[in-house]
Amino acid sequence: MNKTSPYIENILNNKKGVSSWSAVLAMSLGAFALVSSEFMPVSLLTPVAKALQISEGQAGQAISISGVFAVLTSLLMPSFTKGFKRKSLLLGLTAMMIFSGLVVSFAPNYLIFMVGRALIGVVIGGFWSMSVAIAMRLVEKHHVPRALAIFNGGNALATVVAAPAGSFLGGLIGWRGAFFCIIPIALAVFIWLIFSLPSLPDENKAERGTVLSILKYPVVATGMMAVSLFFMGQFTLFTYVRPFLETITHTDISTLSLILLMIGLAGFIGTILIGTLLKRGTYPILIGTPLFMSVLAILLILFGKSAFFAAAILMLWGFFATSAPVGWWTWLAQTLPQKAEVGGGLMVAVIQLAITLGATCGGVIFDTKGYHATFITSAFILVIASLFAFLTAGIGRKDTAALVKP
């Protein structure tokens, strides 16, 4: 009898191997399509508002509603998807992304448009809450940071191209055509996942309980606080970079676009490189990144009137801010190896809420106290985030052992 090769046995048994990296790449492309869909309205608010006969403020709620549904989905998904194969769930979410694109592209009115945007929020919450758990089952333990970096590489690339591509395509083929362009990419992801992703049955009995139940572990509570403060501090400043560059640095539109592109490219490079750095240790990056970004916030106040220095500082900001989530997703995989989906759901909810809170608080401070107070507030929050990451590192050495038990 001919003996089956180890490679073929690996595929047939759905074990971790060469074929799994194809699934990782497929999910990275899925992240690109998803984040592009999420932020496409940013550059299309005016034509959407005009076509649907609504205000630009109402059109802007297309981003808010997707965030709300992302939070709800991330909190509820671990409890409502027990027993389902993860491949089936991921394919279902990808199909929903395709359907959302169709709904938005052909929406006859504002209500239908918002339904389509709510659906993309469900996909966002579901995809990211499962991403760590799926990465851990696709690749060997020491390759998980690299896999997560590849996932987030699709995310980072989308942040670079989504807004300018949306603006360009909107002018070329209309806002409906711009949204429709996401559909072929999502369809390609769907087909790719069919052939590359193992079935991944829900057979981990340790993955039980509600999302909030894991907050009883001190290392999770302090870690999630650090995550929340990091994203809150980041978006307290970054949400208002454009008005800062326009009113303080006095950049014209072409220079502004170039700086924003450079920030995105720096973030993409950082995301690619961080996977290697995380192999040397997770906590130094989690502690050092917000601390370094707090220094950049102060430097932006001191030297931000110069376009050259502002661009250099913001490129460093983009390098660390965009790649930092890979560090926190890696921490989640290391801290909650048997509760990764529950932890992923909680982290998605925490991040979405922190971004909203940071942008809101930053806006109030920016309008009432000016950019100095806004950036100082951002720096202060980031320092506190670093302190909580340091506290998490100390607790984690004692507490993690309790988490890995079924």
Side-chain angles (χ1 to χ4, degrees), residues 5 43-44 86 110 138 154 158 166 174 220 243 245 262 268 328 344-345 357 371 393 398:
S5 71
S43 57
L44 297 170
R86 271 38 198 162
Y110 181 57
L138 288 177
V220 176
L245 291 173
M262 291 166 65
F268 179 72
W328 279 111
L357 187 59
Y371 77 92
K398 302 176 182 179

Side-chain angles (χ1 to χ4, degrees), residues 155-236:
N155 179 1
L157 185 60
T159 60
V160 175
V161 304
S167 179
F168 174 76
L169 291 172
L172 189 66
I173 56 179
W175 69 270
R176 295 182 187 274
F179 278 108
F180 190 85
C181 285
I182 301 296
I183 296 175
I185 302 175
L187 183 60
V189 172
F190 185 87
I191 296 172
W192 194 349
L193 288 173
I194 289 176
F195 292 101
S196 65
L197 191 67
S199 61
L200 301 178
D202 181 24
E203 57 187 13
N204 192 343
K205 296 180 181 179
E207 192 78 55
R208 297 298 177 230
T210 63
V211 168
L212 298 179
S213 67
I214 60 173
L215 286 174
K216 66 183 179 182
Y217 299 105
V219 69
V220 176
T222 56
M224 291 298 171
M225 180 60 72
V227 172
S228 177
L229 289 168
F230 173 77
F231 279 93
M232 182 179 175
Q234 176 185 345
F235 282 88
T236 295

Side-chain angles (χ1 to χ4, degrees), residues 251-260 307:
T251 57
D252 55 31
I253 189 64
S254 59
T255 304
L256 173 65
S257 299
L258 178 61
I259 292 176
L260 293 176

Side-chain angles (χ1 to χ4, degrees), residues 69-84:
F69 274 82
V71 171
L72 293 175
T73 302
S74 62
L75 290 175
L76 298 175
M77 191 163 184
S79 298
F80 285 92
T81 58
K82 294 174 182 177
F84 288 91

Side-chain angles (χ1 to χ4, degrees), residues 17-28 138 192-193 195-197:
V18 177
S19 61
S20 298
W21 286 105
S22 179
V24 170
L25 292 173
M27 290 186 65
S28 179
L138 288 177
W192 194 349
L193 288 173
F195 292 101
S196 65
L197 191 67

Side-chain angles (χ1 to χ4, degrees), residues 18-191:
V18 177
S19 61
S20 298
W21 286 105
S22 179
V24 170
L25 292 173
M27 290 186 65
S28 179
L29 182 61
F32 171 81
L34 183 57
V35 175
S36 295
S37 298
E38 182 180 6
F39 292 109
M40 189 74 78
V42 171
S43 57
L44 297 170
L45 290 184
T46 301
V48 168
K50 184 176 181 180
L52 299 180
Q53 297 181 337
I54 56 177
S55 68
E56 291 188 356
Q58 287 177 301
Q61 296 306 311
I63 298 174
S64 300
I65 194 171
S66 63
V68 169
F69 274 82
V71 171
L72 293 175
T73 302
S74 62
L75 290 175
L76 298 175
M77 191 163 184
S79 298
F80 285 92
T81 58
K82 294 174 182 177
F84 288 91
K85 292 180 179 179
R86 271 38 198 162
K87 179 175 183 176
S88 299
L89 286 174
L90 199 56
L91 288 173
L93 289 169
T94 307
M96 187 179 291
M97 178 164 46
I98 296 171
F99 182 67
S100 169
L102 290 170
V103 171
V104 170
S105 298
F106 295 100
N109 53 52
Y110 181 57
L111 177 61
I112 302 300
F113 177 80
M114 293 298 278
V115 168
R117 295 302 302 170
L119 289 175
I120 204 65
V122 173
V123 181
I124 293 166
F127 178 91
W128 288 113
S129 64
M130 291 195 302
S131 62
V132 173
I134 290 178
M136 291 171 62
R137 297 176 69 178
L138 288 177
V139 301
E140 299 293 345
K141 181 179 179 180
H142 63 283
H143 286 316
V144 170
R146 181 189 298 176
L148 293 174
I150 292 174
F151 285 174
N152 282 272
N155 179 1
L157 185 60
T159 60
V160 175
V161 304
S167 179
F168 174 76
L169 291 172
L172 189 66
I173 56 179
W175 69 270
R176 295 182 187 274
F179 278 108
F180 190 85
C181 285
I182 301 296
I183 296 175
I185 302 175
L187 183 60
V189 172
F190 185 87
I191 296 172

